[in-house]
Amino acid sequence: MNAVVTVARKEVRDALNSTWLLLYAVMFTALALGLSYLGERNLGSLGFENFSRTTASLLNLCLLLAPLVALALSSGAIAGERDRGTLTFLLAQPLERWELLLGKYAGLAASIGLATAAGFGVAGSLIALQSSAMDAGTYILFLGLVLALIVVMTGLGLVVSVVSESRVQALGMAMLIWFVAAFFFDLVLIGMVSTTSLGGGGLLLALLANPIEIVRVLAIIRLEPDLQILGPFGSYLMERVGTTGATVILSTALLAWIAVPVGIAAWLFEARED
Amino acid sequence: MNAMPDDKPRPMLRVQSLQRSYGKRVVLRDVTFDAAAGSVIALLGSNGAGKTTALKCILGVISFGGEIEVDGCSVKKDGKEARKRIGYVPQLPALAEGDTCQQALEFIADLKGAPRAGITPALELVNLAQERDARIGQLSGGMRQRLAVAAAVLGGPPVLLLDEPTASLDIDSKREFQQLILRLRDEGKTIILSTHFFEHLEELADRVLILHDGRVAFDGTTDDLAATSRSKRLVVNLNGHSPSETAAVLERAGIDRSRIQPVAMGWEDIVLATQQTEEDAQ
């Protein structure tokens, strides 16, 4: 396990020195503050919005930006080493393949999570100073959900990184996954719901097949369980099993999305011969 | 050192019937050799001969047929334990350019579970103590390869695998690196040196192993290698005779013209001649 910690520490150190992560943190903070400020202006009130409204505004931003950064950075974890010809050197050290993979996974997820939390923290503190109506608990819960989504996407990025022959190929595949999960998936499924008789089971499976959708529905359930906002998948779930049932099902699915990709990545990496 | 029942010292590295293929392409066929403690073996052969693949097998990075033991530890059964006994220097520098020498060596020491106290002696060994806080990206190619050696010796592994470490170096750096190899040999390291370059071969290597087409084409000392080649070649002192006239006489005696060449015999020629002999034999 020492090797895992060593590799993870190195990943965090490299990430903290990386311009990409810094840019992400700055951009994230700026957008969070901007969204809140614009929301306030639209309502014609003074100061920033309260936490709940800001959190709702942040939802779409997070569901786009966090998976994008997690997939992009983690897709280079193994493929980048392979590209630079340094993978054999790392594997020549006394560590197992799974230890290298797990170390990179933990280090990357921690780095991206840290940058996101920093962005959230700065934005949250500024909003708290301006706002009278506080809902810090919801804000923190939402941050937890976004961090979980980052962990999921880091795992998916690792799978891509393990199977790709080059950094460019890995990045291409990662962007495809992001596009499908963030945009294409919703469009196609909404189309299917309206044109075919997708049953209840089908709706549930469709929801659970997309981690971004899981986090979106979970967040809305906790924020404001409005059937209009929840969409067809979330509405179906809420009607059938209620808030608690839906939370349990979606949280379990999210945990599975965390564990399964990294397990697959480790298995594939063991089988590879670099 | 442990001894076998017949009191023969156990080899530090034992490679037995090593086989490896990539798809249908056989890269290593029944390669067998061993290395005594404190010896330097030069692993020679042209590109694609299987040198790097053999080193990857010894490291347990890729799967293989046969058996490999490093200091009595089976690479197949416990690759991680075997790798603790090996220091590896790749052909191209592999340490992160953004790190300082100290940071890079701390990372490798931690990976090996070796004490960080070993970093200073390792830097001194490779004459890089002054560059401890320099970024690796600012070092010359020769310095980076010496730093790779410092990383390799952390934790005191008895075996060092050097994969064409001087391939990208200029002549001065190459010579400096060769001196470093001699220092490591004097410290008792068992060194497997994969290389294309044959300058100072007799000075560096106790034994030469030539891989050709995935097989061991030659295994012996540099003297053995030179003797093998001498028995197949005749060096004629022309003593004023015209080379073309001499060649014509030899041709009339049935020797093919293409086999008569004015060649200064360096190690490279000798090794290539040995490979040719192996091909002829097949």
Side-chain angles (χ1 to χ4, degrees), chain B residues 238-259:
Chain B
L238 291 174
N239 201 20
H241 287 87
S242 148
S244 56
E245 278 176 17
T246 311
V249 171
L250 290 170
E251 223 178 338
R252 281 199 293 279
I255 297 172
D256 190 84
R257 182 92 193 189
S258 65
R259 292 195 167 270

Side-chain angles (χ1 to χ4, degrees), chain A residues 48-70:
Chain A
F48 289 94
E49 287 188 75
N50 66 31
F51 271 128
S52 283
R53 297 194 68 88
T54 303
T55 311
S57 308
L58 276 173
L59 182 61
N60 287 327
L61 169 69
C62 288
L63 295 185
L64 283 179
L65 208 54
L68 174 68
V69 171

Side-chain angles (χ1 to χ4, degrees), chain B residues 37-206:
Chain B
S39 62
V40 177
I41 295 185
L43 191 58
L44 308 181
S46 48
N47 280 335
K51 302 189 299 292
T52 297
T53 301
L55 295 187
K56 282 186 174 179
C57 291
I58 294 170
L59 287 164
V61 171
I62 55 174
S63 62
F64 55 86
E67 187 54 65
I68 299 174
E69 281 181 11
V70 183
D71 195 15
C73 182
S74 166
V75 173
K76 258 187 187 167
K77 287 178 188 151
D78 195 350
K80 186 174 173 177
E81 199 53 42
R83 283 191 290 277
K84 281 185 183 166
R85 296 157 160 80
I86 303 174
Y88 171 64
V89 178
Q91 183 176 353
L92 296 171
L95 295 165
E97 293 192 357
D99 285 354
T100 64
C101 297
Q102 175 75 21
Q103 285 172 328
L105 294 186
E106 280 176 3
F107 173 59
I108 299 296
D110 292 350
L111 273 186
K112 290 182 170 189
R116 289 185 175 185
I119 291 175
T120 301
L123 282 170
E124 283 167 355
L125 174 77
V126 300
N127 287 331
L128 285 175
Q130 300 292 318
E131 278 73 25
R132 178 188 296 271
D133 297 318
R135 298 256 169 225
I136 294 174
Q138 295 167 344
L139 301 181
S140 69
M143 285 171 155
R144 288 189 209 190
Q145 280 307 67
R146 273 159 37 213
L147 185 66
V149 172
V153 300
L154 288 173
V159 176
L160 294 178
L161 301 186
L162 315 182
D163 188 6
E164 301 188 25
T166 58
S168 58
L169 303 185
D170 60 34
I171 293 170
D172 288 343
S173 302
K174 209 175 275 182
R175 186 67 193 146
E176 210 169 0
F177 200 88
Q178 284 164 351
Q179 293 302 320
L180 179 56
I181 293 172
L182 292 176
R183 273 209 298 282
L184 293 166
R185 184 183 65 180
D186 293 344
E187 288 193 356
K189 300 288 184 195
T190 305
I191 299 171
I192 309 296
L193 170 66
S194 158
T195 184
H196 278 311
F197 298 96
F198 311 120
E199 307 101 286
H200 314 290
L201 192 61
E202 69 281 16
E203 197 183 327
L204 281 174
D206 303 303

Side-chain angles (χ1 to χ4, degrees), chain A residues 10 13 93 95 99 273, chain B residues 20 61 63 80 83 99:
Chain A
K10 169 100 169 87
R13 183 155 54 85
Q93 308 308 320
L95 81 169
E99 289 178 311
E273 303 221 296
Chain B
R20 168 73 206 191
V61 171
S63 62
K80 186 174 173 177
R83 283 191 290 277
D99 285 354

Side-chain angles (χ1 to χ4, degrees), chain A residues 20-250:
Chain A
W20 284 106
L21 207 65
L22 183 70
L23 270 176
Y24 163 65
V26 170
M27 193 166 78
F28 194 89
T29 310
L31 284 170
L33 288 169
L35 278 176
S36 178
Y37 181 70
L38 284 175
E40 166 267 319
R41 280 190 59 183
N42 289 340
L43 289 174
S45 58
L46 290 173
F48 289 94
E49 287 188 75
N50 66 31
F51 271 128
S52 283
R53 297 194 68 88
T54 303
T55 311
S57 308
L58 276 173
L59 182 61
N60 287 327
L61 169 69
C62 288
L63 295 185
L64 283 179
L65 208 54
L68 174 68
V69 171
L71 277 166
L73 292 182
S74 60
S75 66
I78 300 295
E81 300 283 1
R82 198 176 279 135
D83 247 12
R84 291 189 294 273
T86 50
L87 187 57
T88 300
F89 176 72
L90 283 174
L91 293 172
Q93 308 308 320
L95 81 169
E96 303 289 356
R97 280 173 174 260
W98 68 264
E99 289 178 311
L100 177 65
L101 194 85
L102 202 59
K104 284 193 168 277
Y105 173 64
L108 276 166
S111 311
I112 303 163
L114 206 66
T116 308
F120 259 93
V122 171
S125 303
L126 289 174
I127 294 160
L129 285 174
Q130 298 286 328
S131 171
S132 53
M134 293 248 201
D135 192 3
T138 309
Y139 196 74
I140 290 167
L141 176 81
F142 184 50
L143 170 62
L145 281 174
V146 173
L147 291 180
L149 184 59
I150 285 169
V151 174
V152 170
M153 289 303 176
T154 304
L156 284 173
L158 268 190
V159 175
V160 165
S161 196
V162 166
V163 300
S164 299
E165 293 304 323
S166 70
R167 177 78 182 90
V168 174
Q169 188 190 0
L171 192 62
M173 284 171 72
M175 290 304 96
L176 185 66
I177 290 176
W178 175 73
F179 179 75
V180 169
F183 300 108
F184 194 68
F185 191 88
D186 260 7
L187 291 176
V188 167
L189 281 173
I190 288 168
M192 282 176 71
V193 169
S194 56
T195 56
T196 65
S197 54
L198 196 63
L203 278 172
L204 183 60
L205 276 179
L207 168 59
L208 300 182
N210 187 351
I212 293 182
E213 191 63 19
I214 293 174
V215 168
R216 195 180 73 84
V217 173
L218 255 179
I220 293 171
I221 286 174
R222 304 315 303 177
L223 282 168
E224 196 175 341
D226 183 334
L227 294 183
Q228 292 297 314
I229 307 173
L230 274 170
F233 317 123
S235 304
Y236 168 80
L237 198 62
M238 285 287 285
E239 280 172 4
R240 290 296 295 264
V241 294
T243 307
T244 310
T247 306
V248 169
I249 290 173
L250 293 173

Side-chain angles (χ1 to χ4, degrees), chain B residues 188-243:
Chain B
K189 300 288 184 195
T190 305
I191 299 171
I192 309 296
L193 170 66
S194 158
T195 184
H196 278 311
F197 298 96
F198 311 120
E199 307 101 286
H200 314 290
L201 192 61
E202 69 281 16
E203 197 183 327
L204 281 174
D206 303 303
R207 260 173 65 204
V208 173
L209 201 77
I210 300 176
L211 285 183
H212 182 60
D213 196 22
R215 297 177 202 277
V216 177
F218 178 85
D219 181 1
T221 64
T222 47
D223 285 344
D224 293 340
L225 180 58
T228 308
S229 181
R230 270 196 291 274
S231 67
K232 306 289 181 191
R233 285 195 172 191
L234 182 66
V235 178
V236 179
N237 186 341
L238 291 174
N239 201 20
H241 287 87
S242 148

